[in-house]
Amino acid sequence: DQQVKQNSPSLSVQEGRISILNCDYTNSMFDYFLWYKKYPAEGPTFLISISSIKDKNEDGRFTVFLNKSAKHLSLHIVPSQPGDSAVYFCAASAPGNTGKLIFGQGTTLQVKP
Amino acid sequence: DVKVTQSSRYLVKRTGEKVFLECVQDMDHENMFWYRQDPGLGLRLIYFSYDVKMKEKGDIPEGYSVSREKKERFSLILESASTNQTSMYLCASTWGQGNTEAFFGQGTRLTVV
């Protein structure tokens, strides 16, 4: 039972345009969400997070939006750069303060020059 | 900077061998995790530990065990390696309480032949 879903396996955008990566979740108890970026043969690196008390969090070119009623979040990258080409994972923090993260399947972003 | 170090980047083992994957973190984090990453499946939690000598099963613990004798070190053990355990293995750590990001090691690409 996939509690965090990224339904788009891949996304291709032109350099300078906006990249929008989507994520859906099923458990209304999730209250903290994160995005990670992963290059091949490397570990994931933290990008940005959002608490359920907010609906938007921004950090430079990266913005995460949270729609609690729809159980949906999205990551916007503006403007996209070729170096952003990677796999992006959405994650939710499991209830109970254990530090456990529940990950989506990942979306491979390709930014074309 | 937090550093999570996995002992090997690449490993090739034979079916039936006992395999040890080691992970060390240098930031005094209470929680440590082992995930595996497979295409289309995202990151799945194998085991985690929230204290020395404590362990909890994740979503896919079958065929694995763990050891945490010291706070900074968390080992993943494949008791008898099988070809379906060929995967990317990722170690992570987090602070003890509250919502916080996980810090990942660089990953170990294990191939079982």
Side-chain angles (χ1 to χ4, degrees):
Chain A
D1 183 24
Q2 191 83 24
Q3 296 189 70
V4 178
K5 298 180 184 179
Q6 294 175 256
N7 291 317
S8 298
S10 61
L11 175 67
S12 181
V13 301
Q14 210 66 35
E15 181 178 6
R17 305 294 292 270
I18 184 171
S19 296
I20 301 176
L21 297 98
N22 294 303
C23 179
D24 297 295
Y25 61 95
T26 57
N27 190 337
S28 58
M29 297 296 292
F30 292 155
D31 61 3
Y32 187 68
F33 303 89
L34 308 91
W35 285 93
Y36 280 82
K37 174 181 180 179
K38 186 180 183 300
Y39 293 117
E42 292 185 14
T45 53
F46 170 74
L47 262 181
I48 193 169
S49 62
I50 189 166
S51 165
S52 61
I53 62 173
K54 294 185 173 181
D55 54 16
K56 177 183 175 181
N57 189 27
E58 193 170 352
D59 184 2
R61 296 186 297 115
F62 302 91
T63 303
V64 56
F65 295 91
L66 175 61
N67 182 332
K68 288 187 291 295
S69 60
K71 296 192 184 68
H72 177 83
L73 63 155
S74 60
L75 174 68
H76 293 210
I77 306 173
V78 183
S80 302
Q81 299 172 354
D84 295 329
S85 298
V87 180
Y88 288 79
F89 291 100
C90 168
S93 183
N97 282 335
T98 61
K100 279 176 58 177
L101 295 178
I102 299 168
F103 285 86
Q105 306 95 311
T107 297
T108 301
L109 173 65
Q110 183 184 26
V111 180
K112 297 179 179 177
Chain B
D1 272 356
V2 174
K3 196 164 184 183
V4 180
T5 304
Q6 295 181 227
S7 52
S8 304
R9 293 294 296 268
Y10 300 94
L11 275 178
V12 180
K13 296 291 181 180
R14 295 195 177 277
T15 301
E17 277 193 78
K18 192 168 186 176
V19 181
F20 294 86
L21 303 182
E22 308 285 346
C23 175
V24 177
Q25 51 93 5
D26 65 359
M27 281 299 290
D28 205 36
H29 283 173
E30 282 82 5
N31 303 326
M32 296 189 74
F33 306 83
W34 276 105
Y35 291 88
R36 63 178 279 180
Q37 182 204 352
D38 300 288
L41 297 177
L43 278 68
R44 293 179 293 165
L45 182 63
I46 304 170
Y47 265 99
F48 68 103
S49 168
Y50 51 86
D51 201 352
V52 175
K53 297 192 186 293
M54 305 299 286
K55 61 185 179 183
E56 294 279 345
K57 291 181 180 179
D59 299 317
I60 50 165
E62 296 79 18
Y64 303 94
S65 62
V66 290
S67 171
R68 194 163 181 206
E69 296 296 319
K70 293 184 178 181
K71 190 174 186 179
E72 67 271 18
R73 186 179 297 269
F74 192 35
S75 302
L76 179 69
I77 303 152
L78 285 66
E79 298 291 343
S80 176
S82 63
T83 54
N84 63 12
Q85 292 179 309
T86 291
S87 187
M88 168 71 89
Y89 289 88
L90 295 159
C91 174
S93 69
T94 68
W95 297 108
Q97 296 291 326
N99 289 321
T100 182
E101 68 265 28
F103 295 87
F104 282 85
Q106 75 277 31
T108 297
R109 169 65 67 182
L110 172 67
T111 302
V112 182
V113 297

